[in-house]
Amino acid sequence: MCAPAHYGVEYVINPWMAGNVHRVTQANAARQWEGLRNRLEELVDVELVEPAPGLPDMVFTANAGLVIEKKAVVSRFLYRERRNERAHFKKWFERAGYEITDLAGDAPFEGEGDALLDRERGLLWVGYGMRTDLDVHPALAEALDVRVVSLRLADERFYHLDTCLCPLERGYLVYYPRAFDADSIIQIEQLAPAEKRIAIGDDDAAAFACNMVNIGEHIVLNSATAELKERLAQAGFNVIETPLDEFMKAGGAAKCLVLQLANHAPANGGAATSVREGLVTLEGHLLHAGLLEKAVDVAVENGGTFQVLSFDLGRQQSSLSRAEMRVVAPSEMRLNGIVSQLLSLGAKRVAGEEKDAALSPAPMEGVAPDDFYASTIYPTEVCVAGKWLTVRNQRMDGVLVVEAGAKPVVRCSLFRNLRKGDLVVTGSEGLRTRRKTRKPASNGEHEFSFMGAGVSSERRVDLVVERIAWEMRRWREQRGKIVVVGGPVVIHTGGGQHLASLIRNGYVQALLGGNAIAVHDIEQALLGTSLGVDLVRGAPVAHGHRHHLAAINTIRRCGGIRQAVEQGVLTRGVFFECVKAGVPFALAGSIRDDGPLPDTEMNLIQAQDDYTRLVRGADMILMLGSMLHSIGVGNMTPSGVRLACIDINPAVVTKLADRGSLESVGVVTDVGLFLSLLSQRLGS
Ligand code: NAD
């Protein structure tokens, strides 16, 4: 322990300190610290370290380092404010005859504040994400010959592991679940059986109840609720409360004020950690396009950490930058997840690391191996027998299957199409994606972007419509393929006639929708209403609610939409034009469909396959007021296809247009208005 002679809140490096600068009452602090020391001295010997002026946090000796047997790992503090404590603690360890171990590198490690020995389980729980870096976990395992279990702290109020977890005698574990991320909770639950876990609530957490010192059957802490005391008593512990609120002003209590010196090495020693690392390079307009920032976010948001090993900054606006990054993750699985996401940002595994992709056989029909690589919309290459092969049928949320042989092939497959034994790409090695980078040109326009990509609001509709019209004209000239995805709102808003004229004039090569768009288009063609509303007068008509059912009934009698056209029953509208122009359409069924029309495919697997077939080879896709079908289409469309999403709901537009690719644009507007402007622009 270290007497609070120079203790105070002099700066703010955790949320508890905020509002408490210069608000410590020295006399109270001294009395409370003596109180804790007296309680402990009744149970154990207490050694003291000399307090140093100008280091107000030195009183929190748990952060001095970590001791196991006679080995001491001295802390490296994250914050400049505490860094000078190190020399004092180091000197104390040396004088006391400890063997000092320095961890490789320079990443922060804050001692027992973040590393707690669990003798019963023979492991060291180590926190990261706030003060101690994940990068030191393997070094710690190595230095102390112990198994390290990494836990990620997710709430900045619980910035050290000892504020939210405490391993106790006989395998009990007190912890505050809300302080951890989901993966860490799973780890805790896997390693500590339910009867040994004591999860505390908000009140105890706020009173620093986890920050306890456990000596044999005694537990010394600031305070605990009656409920927690009862639970600890049931587990055979004697709870001793001693007030420490003056220290809570700086974010610490009983455990923070104490460093345990009698730590015995676990019997089942042996260094072990699940932490893994990988090297990647990123090249492109890293700063301008925000790629580096995105890469760093990917690593941190997914529970990892990173180190930028080198960074060559492109000096001019047009020149490329290059960065080499070392990514560290708490497990192989997390590393693969992070690297896969970095690959889709265009990162590459560092040359020396490039090797064949790992392959595992599908264990059964329709099931992939557990660590499968999930495909993205970006063109992907896989290294097979030293050669980079381009993936066929690229789409999102599939797996990559390698067909071995003299000329190996890699294709994207859905789970349901996997056969037992199919070789599926796993992990993240031997993979790379090609991604167009946003190249800033001198006029501020982006060379590759489709209308500047992103989401446009009402004010720019006219301009965006003009650009979309220009694109459509271009594809029609080049005999390209334009696919339209539409919902019933196309008809309700009066856009049906405009869509029909686009089809008639050769601007649409395939139409995708559900039962509703066809039902309401046909209702309008046969009865002049859409969902019973007369679109010319904008008013409901008598008995109009049965109109759409009557339309369905008529088509069912004819045998289908094409038959209705051939029989002269259906003579106008969107689907009439499709049949006339030979434009294929696919209608996917849903739970709310009335009828359905004979053309509506109620077998959804078949419907997905029909959509996939019609989307293949598309140059441009217009998504018009149908969230369900547009999202479905977005997932099966590789990057590179120009995509325009029109919806009245900004959230839907953002979701669909924000694919991280440069070819999608979203327009928040009424789809009827949009279609009317578009057909005007196209003169159709
Ligand atoms: P959806 O919720 O997936 O999409 C509707 C979208 O239209 C929403 O994103 C909404 O924001 C947008 N929208 C609403 N008004 C708009 C406007 N004026 N301009 C632009 N966008 C506008 O629903 P959905 O695609 O209409 O239907 C989902 C499923 O239900 C489909 O399979 C459909 O066929 C079926 N359905 C069947 C029937 C029927 O059989 N009678 C009726 C309705 C829907």
Side-chain angles (χ1 to χ4, degrees):
M1 297 180 74
C2 175
H6 306 290
Y7 169 63
V9 179
E10 309 281 326
Y11 42 75
V12 177
I13 56 170
N14 68 49
W16 305 89
M17 287 175 150
N20 279 326
V21 173
H22 300 145
R23 293 182 74 171
V24 165
T25 310
Q26 278 297 332
N28 281 351
R31 200 172 45 246
Q32 291 185 354
W33 184 84
E34 284 298 343
L36 175 66
R37 178 183 170 180
N38 292 339
R39 297 276 116 61
L40 295 175
E41 279 189 327
E42 287 164 16
L43 305 166
V44 284
D45 292 334
V46 174
E47 304 270 351
L48 294 179
V49 54
E50 191 68 24
L55 296 174
D57 277 342
M58 213 179 141
V59 65
F60 298 119
T61 52
N63 308 136
L66 175 68
V67 174
I68 294 188
E69 301 287 351
K70 279 314 256 183
K71 272 190 190 170
V73 181
V74 190
S75 292
R76 269 194 307 248
F77 290 92
L78 171 68
Y79 287 109
R80 185 178 38 81
E81 288 84 345
R82 294 197 68 181
R83 286 194 195 140
N84 288 341
E85 292 178 34
R86 179 182 154 86
H88 295 275
F89 288 130
K90 192 171 178 187
K91 206 181 293 162
W92 187 91
F93 283 122
E94 280 166 353
R95 282 203 191 133
Y98 286 90
E99 180 192 323
I100 308 281
T101 309
D102 267 323
L103 301 176
D106 54 8
F109 165 62
E110 298 209 345
E112 224 177 26
D114 270 328
L116 295 161
L117 191 65
D118 188 329
R119 275 179 294 266
E120 195 71 20
R121 295 183 180 81
L123 59 84
L124 191 66
W125 300 99
V126 188
Y128 76 98
M130 298 282 161
R131 299 288 181 88
T132 295
D133 202 297
L134 182 64
D135 215 2
V136 303
H137 291 204
L140 211 50
E142 203 57 50
L144 296 169
D145 201 31
V146 67
R147 176 183 173 201
V148 162
V149 175
S150 306
L151 299 178
R152 186 184 185 201
L153 301 174
D155 180 334
E156 59 176 13
R157 290 169 306 161
F158 301 94
Y159 60 93
H160 272 148
L161 185 65
D162 68 358
T163 63
C164 49
L165 179 130
C166 186
L168 305 179
E169 291 285 324
R170 288 174 282 114
Y172 285 97
L173 190 75
V174 181
Y175 70 116
Y176 177 52
R178 289 196 189 187
F180 298 94
D181 76 352
D183 264 19
S184 304
I185 292 292
I186 292 172
Q187 295 238 49
I188 291 173
E189 291 177 355
Q190 275 173 355
L191 288 163
E195 66 277 12
K196 294 285 182 182
R197 293 195 304 264
I198 303 176
I200 67 163
D202 297 348
D203 289 349
D204 279 312
F208 276 73
C210 274
N211 201 241
M212 55 172 66
V213 182
N214 173 216
I215 299 160
E217 74 268 29
H218 304 286
I219 283 174
V220 184
L221 45 64
N222 168 59
S223 77
T225 56
E227 194 188 340
L228 177 58
K229 279 192 272 195
E230 170 69 25
R231 179 76 184 88
L232 289 168
Q234 276 169 8
F237 292 101
N238 166 41
V239 177
I240 304 165
E241 290 177 303
T242 182
L244 292 164
D245 48 279
E246 284 301 331
F247 296 95
M248 284 163 55
K249 290 178 181 170
K255 179 66 200 76
C256 292
L257 292 163
V258 173
L259 176 72
Q260 183 117 353
L261 294 174
N263 266 337
H264 297 295
N268 56 344
T273 171
S274 60
V275 174
R276 296 288 179 271
E277 63 173 81
L279 293 180
V280 295
T281 51
L282 275 168
E283 207 172 81
H285 299 282
L286 298 188
L287 294 185
H288 199 105
L291 273 183
L292 195 60
E293 200 181 327
K294 279 187 199 142
V296 162
D297 283 351
V298 162
V300 175
E301 278 165 16
N302 289 285
T305 181
F306 66 94
Q307 200 183 359
V308 178
L309 299 176
S310 65
F311 184 63
D312 297 326
L313 178 65
R315 303 238 164 235
Q316 273 156 11
Q317 195 185 11
S318 57
S319 47
L320 300 178
S321 305
R322 186 174 186 283
E324 197 172 77
M325 255 174 95
R326 185 169 151 265
V327 182
V328 183
S331 66
E332 183 83 36
M333 192 98 149
R334 291 307 267 296
L335 180 70
N336 283 336
I338 293 171
V339 174
S340 306
Q341 286 189 51
L342 293 178
L343 292 178
S344 65
L345 285 179
K348 289 190 180 67
R349 284 279 200 168
V350 168
E353 283 206 346
E354 275 181 13
K355 47 181 172 182
D356 278 4
L359 306 176
S360 285
M364 55 196 279
E365 202 86 359
V367 178
D370 279 347
D371 53 346
F372 64 86
Y373 167 82
S375 64
T376 65
I377 59 170
Y378 303 105
T380 305
E381 292 174 331
V382 180
C383 191
V384 180
K387 281 207 178 102
W388 288 99
L389 307 177
T390 303
V391 172
R392 296 186 181 174
N393 300 342
Q394 187 71 45
R395 59 157 293 158
M396 208 173 122
D397 295 345
V399 292
L400 305 182
V401 172
V402 175
E403 289 171 10
K407 272 199 156 188
V409 167
V410 189
R411 58 179 166 82
C412 222
S413 170
L414 297 174
F415 287 145
R416 64 172 181 256
N417 295 328
L418 282 176
R419 282 159 312 171
K420 185 175 178 191
D422 272 354
L423 290 177
V424 177
V425 175
T426 55
S428 58
E429 274 170 338
L431 284 158
R432 65 186 187 199
T433 58
R434 264 178 291 120
R435 215 181 132 124
K436 286 176 184 171
T437 50
R438 199 178 284 252
K439 184 176 174 191
S442 48
N443 60 1
E445 288 286 312
H446 298 298
E447 190 180 8
F448 295 116
S449 69
F450 172 36
M451 299 172 269
V455 174
S456 308
S457 63
E458 295 269 12
R459 281 176 293 135
R460 292 188 54 208
V461 171
D462 213 29
L463 180 70
V464 181
V465 168
E466 192 235 294
R467 298 294 300 270
I468 292 176
W470 182 85
E471 278 284 333
M472 290 178 74
R473 209 176 269 121
R474 186 163 83 90
W475 288 119
R476 191 179 68 163
E477 301 302 309
Q478 294 175 21
R479 298 190 183 280
K481 180 171 182 179
I482 301 176
V483 177
V484 171
V485 187
V489 73
V490 166
I491 312 298
H492 302 327
T493 55
Q497 50 176 318
H498 306 299
L499 180 55
S501 86
L502 293 180
I503 297 168
R504 197 164 46 242
N505 288 298
Y507 287 109
V508 180
Q509 279 65 49
L511 178 63
L512 308 176
N515 195 54
I517 185 172
V519 168
H520 296 298
D521 170 59
I522 292 163
E523 176 193 340
Q524 210 202 342
L526 299 180
L527 300 149
T529 58
S530 176
L531 249 191
V533 174
D534 180 331
L535 288 185
V536 178
R537 291 188 298 115
V541 299
H543 305 296
H545 67 275
R546 67 183 293 283
H547 281 192
H548 76 284
L549 297 174
I552 294 169
N553 199 38
T554 304
I555 301 299
R556 287 178 71 88
R557 194 178 53 235
C558 294
I561 295 173
R562 183 179 48 81
Q563 292 85 335
V565 173
E566 285 165 1
Q567 291 163 26
V569 174
L570 184 62
T571 54
R572 60 198 172 108
V574 171
F575 284 82
F576 166 79
E577 297 296 349
C578 280
V579 173
K580 278 283 167 208
V583 170
F585 55 84
L587 304 179
S590 84
I591 193 91
R592 57 184 286 197
D593 291 350
D594 296 320
L597 292 169
D599 305 76
T600 303
E601 181 53 71
M602 299 307 282
N603 174 344
L604 279 187
I605 291 183
Q606 183 57 48
Q608 279 189 351
D609 289 349
D610 292 347
Y611 265 45
T612 309
R613 187 170 38 80
L614 292 182
V615 165
R616 194 159 293 153
D619 297 294
M620 182 176 181
I621 300 180
L622 276 185
M623 299 173 161
L624 307 173
S626 174
M627 176 164 62
L628 182 73
H629 301 118
S630 300
I631 293 175
V633 168
N635 291 350
M636 50 182 83
T637 307
S639 78
V641 179
R642 276 141 162 74
L643 216 144
C645 166
I646 291 86
D647 200 289
I648 200 99
N649 181 347
V652 173
V653 175
T654 307
K655 180 165 172 57
L656 283 162
D658 185 17
R659 305 186 352 130
S661 68
L662 305 177
E663 301 88 5
S664 56
V665 67
V667 194
V668 179
T669 191
D670 175 82
V671 74
L673 175 71
F674 170 84
L675 281 168
S676 128
L677 292 172
L678 183 65
S679 86
Q680 250 177 46
R681 282 274 171 196
L682 289 170
S684 65

